[in-house]
Every structure is written in C-alpha cells, then in structure tokens.
Amino acid sequence: MSKRPFDLNAALRGRMVLAESLFADLRRLSADGVGVTRAPYSEKETAAHDLLAQAARSVGLEVEADFAKNTYLVLRGHDRTRPAVIIGSHLDSVVCGGNYDGAAGVIAGLVTVAAMIDSARRPAIDIKVMAIRAEEGTWFGLDHIGSRAALGELPAEELKALRVDSKRPLRQHMLETGCDLELIQSKKRFLEAGSTRAYFELHIEQGPVLEQAKVPVGIVTGGSQIIGSSSSASDMAINVAMIFAMLNVALAGFNLLPLYPLDGGRVADLIVGAIGGKHGAKPQKAFRIATGALFLVIVASVIIGDCFSLAFSHR
C-alpha cells in the first residue's frame, strides 16, 4: 500500500508554535538587557538544556546526557544497531548574544523530529538532536569544549582554564554541573567511531552572503577546515556528496518536487520555493524555511545506503 502524500508545510506550521514558545522562554531565562547571555556550565545554560529536554519529552522523545552534560533528544528508529543521524548545535552564548545563535539549530532539530512524529513516520535509524555545551570560545579561551569531550578529545590540562567572569576553573564548573571528570580525563568517547552516519547543524549565518543576496536560507556544500584525520575528512566529503546526490530521491518520495540533477545551490532554491519562501524573509519565516531544508536533508541522509528506498514507514 502506498503512503499518503506528506505535506511538509503543514507539518512544520503545526510545530512553529512550539518553536516560538521555546525561543521566547530562552530569551526570558537569559535576557541581559541587550541580548541573551548563557555562560557555559552556568545555571542559565543548564536551564536552557532542561527547557529543551522537557519539550522533547512532551513530544515523545527520549532524553539522554553524556558525561560532559551535552543533551541528546532521541527519536528511536526501527533498527537501533545502525549508525544514527545527529542534528546539533549549542545552547551557550557569548555575552549579549543573539537569541537565534546556536539555539536555532537545536530547536530546528526538535521541530524536525516532532514533525516526523506528527506525520506518523518513523525512521529506520535513530535520529538524535544534540544540544551542545560550551561551544563558544570567549569564556574559557577554548572552543568546542562539550563536543570535544563527547568525542574523547578534551585534554585534561584544559580543565584548568579559568572562566572570564567567575575566575574559576573549567573543572569546578563542570563538577558543579554534574559532569564525570574521570571519564572525560580518561578520553572516554560517548560518540563512538562508527556510531554516527552523519551530523547536521542549522545555524544563523555569521557573515554577509545571504543578507546581501536577500535569500533566507543557504546550504553549505563545503568547508575550509575539517577537524580530524585525513581519512575522516575524506569520508565526510563522500557523505556530503552522497547526501546531495540523493536529496532529489527524497523530494520525489515525499511528493514535494520533481526530480532534478541537483547541486547545493539548486537544492536551496527548490526548498525555498517548495516551502513558500520569499527573498528577504523575516526571521520567523526564514527559520521555518531553514527547518524544512534540514528536514529534507535529514531524510536524504537516512536513505543513503538503503538501496535508494525511503527509510520511513507508518507506525
């Protein structure tokens, strides 16, 4: 029996109230009079993680935390033995930061999996929304603390770094948040090699390209630096290429768009058109469009290696 057509617009519109509520709550709990401030391993950063965890449970997701207190909002798939897809971003901020910086990626991930649940489609593999701790480098003079800890790549000597506002070491702040420093110092990996099929991050643009072009969303098809071994970098490049090659299959399978030979720019154009985007869209609409793009790319990543068949079924 064939699946009914999937209305991505309706699925996303149905969850925009959740997104708007979460953005409002995040602003309220961390407003500083100018923007928002959530220092890493602070009460406000923890409150942001608790807020997203509560929202995740309310839509039927499981919630996990690693030993660095990164939070994972998990939609279980049919086959939990296979590598998962991770959607991630950070919930800490710079001083007087923007409310969409980092948080937009986590909320978009939550909206994406909630839309899957609402449409009665369950993935073949786990999809995890990762809310990352301590991404911003301005507080301890260190970048990507939470993600490096999850990968077993946080050197023990960095735990001595002082946070600029409290003048207390990272070690103390992590202990107060409930982190397991013994496992972190032993270089234990929470995200094991081979456990993740792909990682995606929706993020605000921190440059002028989209603004000057007056377009609400873009898809990055390459980067200037990849952290990791040369083999890891090569594998990632292959995965990205396969994702965009397969995206047209996902679009056709969900009855959204006809098949096209797509590159990254064409993907963005078609997604904006399909979801009703306009040039110069307001932030709320741009967020919905970008979340739709994220949804489609996640679908594409799930079907890679699955004999070109959609990896979703009705529950």
Side-chain angles (χ1 to χ4, degrees), residues 61-173:
L61 303 182
E62 296 181 21
V63 177
E64 302 173 343
D66 63 24
F67 26 79
K69 289 301 179 180
N70 299 302
T71 305
Y72 302 83
L73 320 174
V74 185
L75 175 60
R76 293 298 181 193
H78 291 292
D79 186 352
R80 297 178 60 181
T81 66
R82 295 167 57 190
V85 167
I86 294 180
I87 310 167
S89 198
H90 60 97
L91 288 180
D92 61 318
S93 78
V94 297
V95 175
C96 300
N99 203 36
Y100 279 76
D101 184 4
V106 182
I107 293 175
L110 178 56
V111 167
T112 294
V113 294
M116 292 179 183
I117 293 171
D118 293 344
S119 63
R121 282 169 166 81
R122 184 182 176 193
I125 61 178
D126 288 357
I127 299 179
K128 301 182 178 183
V129 181
M130 182 180 180
I132 302 171
R133 292 266 188 175
E135 181 85 0
E136 301 287 2
T138 57
W139 295 94
F140 289 101
L142 304 169
D143 292 316
H144 315 299
I145 293 170
S147 52
R148 286 192 290 135
L151 294 167
E153 297 291 339
L154 186 68
E157 58 268 21
E158 292 190 3
L159 297 173
K160 301 175 184 177
L162 303 181
R163 206 172 77 186
V164 295
D165 59 336
S166 67
K167 308 303 180 186
R168 295 189 293 131
L170 173 59
R171 169 189 295 274
Q172 188 172 351
H173 284 286

Side-chain angles (χ1 to χ4, degrees), residues 210-223:
L210 294 181
E211 183 176 359
Q212 291 176 356
K214 298 187 184 304
V215 295
V217 60
I219 296 178
V220 177
T221 56

Side-chain angles (χ1 to χ4, degrees), residues 41 67 69 159 168-182 184-185:
Y41 294 108
F67 26 79
K69 289 301 179 180
L159 297 173
R168 295 189 293 131
L170 173 59
R171 169 189 295 274
Q172 188 172 351
H173 284 286
M174 294 183 83
L175 283 172
E176 291 173 354
T177 310
C179 298
D180 190 328
L181 293 188
E182 183 177 343
I184 291 172
Q185 291 178 99

